[in-house]
Amino acid sequence: MSLPHSLSMPELGFTSSPASMHISQFPSHHHCSTQLGTSRPRIQENRFQLILSQHGSQGNGHNLCELKLGSQNSQLLGHGYSVQLGTIRPRSQKHRKLSFGHGRTSFLNDYKLSGLKLGFYNTRELDTLRPKVPKSKLIQGCHLGGSNSSKCRHGSVQLGLSEVKSRNLNFVMRSSSTLSVDKVVEREGGGGKSYYDAIVIGSGIGGLVAATQLAVKGARVLVLEKYVIPGGSSGYYERDGYTFDVGSSVMFGFSDKGNLNLITQALAAVGCEMQVIPDPTTVHYHLPNNLSVLVHREYSEFIAELTGKFPHEKEGILKFYGECWKIFNALNSLELKSLEEPIYLFGQFFQKPLECLTLAYYLPQNAGDIARKYIQDPQLLSFIDAECFIVSTVKALQTPMINASMVMCDRHYGGINYPVGGVGGIAKSLAKGLVDQGSEILYKANVTSIIVDQGRAVGVRLSDGREFFAKTIISNATRWNTFGTLLKGDDVPKEEENFQKVYVKAPSFLSIHMGVKAEVLPPDTDCHHFVLEDDWTRLEEPYGSIFLSIPTVLDPSLAPEGRHILHIFTTSSIEDWEGLSRKDYEAKKEIVADEIIGRLEDKLFPGLKSSIVFKEVGTPKTHRRYLARDKGTYGPIPRRTPKGLLGMPFNTTAMEGLYCVGDSCFPGQGVIAVSFSGVMCAHRVAADIGLEKKSPVLDAALLRLLGWLRTLA
């Protein structure tokens, strides 16, 4: 009688392909059928055999070349088999270290897989990333074990190679190096697991910043990305010679000074830097009543322009933006780490008490309330609504003052700087830096659930069945994806249900990426535009206002010669695109896009439609499909007028071991905000896994206090 079981085999990623690695498994019955990669053999020498022989009877362990696996009444290995490992030749000379996941089995007997050593030159010892001896071992002393339990865990050492025949257990692997086995198995006492310090779900900027910050502190991190490239909404894609930014190309936090240049700091932490192009203007507003406002890089020029439009409100303008600077300067003077870590908070308070008290004072306040203290002109207040709408997709009364201040001042302090080669280069550089630090990123890895054990998040499960385990899980998915899709039912904490009563999903976008003939744009065209032609009340309505980026104004290399890129996006809800046949869906995309382009043609660029040489339209369904965002949303917005940032959740959650990062967390949407979220999350996680100082007593008290404050919002 055979006991059904599944043994996850090791996966060795020898190729440099970004594609997802395959997991290898022994099936529940019959013989072994294992898929290992895609490489092709080029030579046939250097073969050797490992002989599997059966020993023992009921309840005894079977020996696989001294590899003992305990199974009960199993006839699976009831005959002698030969395992032939053929020539090994990788597509790349860079041998990547083994990565481990964990599976589950129903074996009742204890088993251990210990001390497996595969000899390679120029490889590193797992976990330490240091060569053990001149002839380095690919695996040294790693062990996977379980005990008398119906749910023992064992490992998957994944070998991303190719082909194995199920009938005779012939494993064929290829490399230009010669494989040698110094000692196939060592029996060791005890059972341990090789797993990660942190698993990050999603490679948006928030997730990548958190991952890289943890990696440089010494943590072993695995980032799992559903798509084939990193970046999420700050990613890129290429078509017909064009390099398109997926989302906005207005890059805050990318200067060379201060403490709020968080993108620059994140890249520097992993030894990366990018060449940037200064943008002389942040945005050019085209508003009702022919109001045109250009936000210059120099603050004095911007104030001169705005007070020139509203001379009667000069004092109010100076006071409102002056308060923004007060907040920005307080933030910019502090070392930014987790606001959920009391040792850091107390240290900052004793060093900079005035700045900390300033931030505490503004924490529950909104930009709209502050603006109305100093300004009465309804059109100027509507302009400030537009300023905040760019930041948070809501008006000033619903935008936290701290969020507004970060953006409205950083654009003048450090300025908007566009990365050469496009925004996608930021995520690519962070991903490279992560790997250089000895951690990993896996693409085409669609996480479908978070694994919970006795109320603690311990791992993740992918759509293809693979499982990975870690001390901590960090979700860069939206709050709704995390608590509703990755976690369901009884696993969703009560606090998250309360959050979803206070906040709703921000709208998604209709996006249009176009390549146009360069001559359609005037020579002095600005890079970024915001268009609301006729009616202030349409600001928040679907398709009411239009964002426009023309990154080739700054970096012509993104498009073929004689061409410009136009990236147009406007708010839209997914409900507007559901229930349509494929034909009707495509037709509607063209109709809506044509109307939006027509508005830009009338307002800014005569002849725009006839200049189009490439066009691609995306809807909220597109954002949901490729970015795995619930209904295509870009973060939470309050159901009613909020009390500043009091209601925003931080990185910790009510589930032990689970953290969130990104635009669903404090301080909210935007590149600089999600970068801040990533830095804070990494600090809190590092403290919890022993890489930073912590005080459990103070931690508990502070987290209770923050939880209580959220109930006041």
Side-chain angles (χ1 to χ4, degrees), residues 18 147 170 199 264 290 317 349 354 423 478 506 534 620 622 625 684 711:
S147 58
N170 287 337
I199 290 173
T264 304
N290 291 317
I317 290 170
F349 182 79
L354 182 60
V423 170
T478 73
D534 304 319
T622 312
R625 176 183 178 186
R684 181 64 261 181
T711 65

Side-chain angles (χ1 to χ4, degrees), residues 444-457:
K444 296 174 68 176
N446 182 24
V447 177
T448 56
S449 61
I450 294 170
I451 300 171
V452 178
D453 185 7
Q454 296 182 348
R456 179 183 177 87

Side-chain angles (χ1 to χ4, degrees), residues 376-398:
Q376 283 75 45
D377 189 300
Q379 184 163 244
L380 180 54
L381 290 172
S382 293
F383 170 75
I384 293 174
D385 279 336
E387 287 258 77
C388 291
F389 188 72
I390 289 180
V391 175
S392 58
T393 65
V394 289
K395 293 181 179 180
L397 281 171
Q398 290 184 294

Side-chain angles (χ1 to χ4, degrees), residues 90-125:
R91 284 183 287 180
S92 166
Q93 295 302 315
K94 295 182 179 179
H95 295 173
R96 295 173 60 192
K97 66 186 179 64
L98 289 178
S99 63
F100 283 77
H102 295 273
R104 293 179 183 270
T105 184
S106 58
F107 279 158
L108 297 178
N109 289 359
D110 186 73
Y111 61 91
K112 296 182 180 68
L113 170 57
S114 293
L116 179 61
K117 300 179 183 177
L118 301 176
F120 278 93
Y121 290 93
N122 299 323
T123 58
R124 296 172 177 173
E125 181 179 349

Side-chain angles (χ1 to χ4, degrees), residues 45-62:
E45 64 268 25
N46 299 328
R47 295 179 176 273
F48 62 89
Q49 290 188 340
L50 305 178
I51 306 301
L52 311 185
S53 58
Q54 180 201 13
H55 293 279
S57 57
Q58 176 177 351
N60 290 341
H62 300 287

Side-chain angles (χ1 to χ4, degrees), residues 288 389 395 532-545 571 595-596 599:
F389 188 72
K395 293 181 179 180
L532 179 64
E533 305 99 309
D534 304 319
D535 188 351
W536 285 108
T537 62
R538 296 194 63 200
L539 178 66
E540 295 180 293
E541 291 181 4
Y543 318 117
S545 50
T571 55
E595 180 185 351
I596 298 296
R599 289 167 59 187

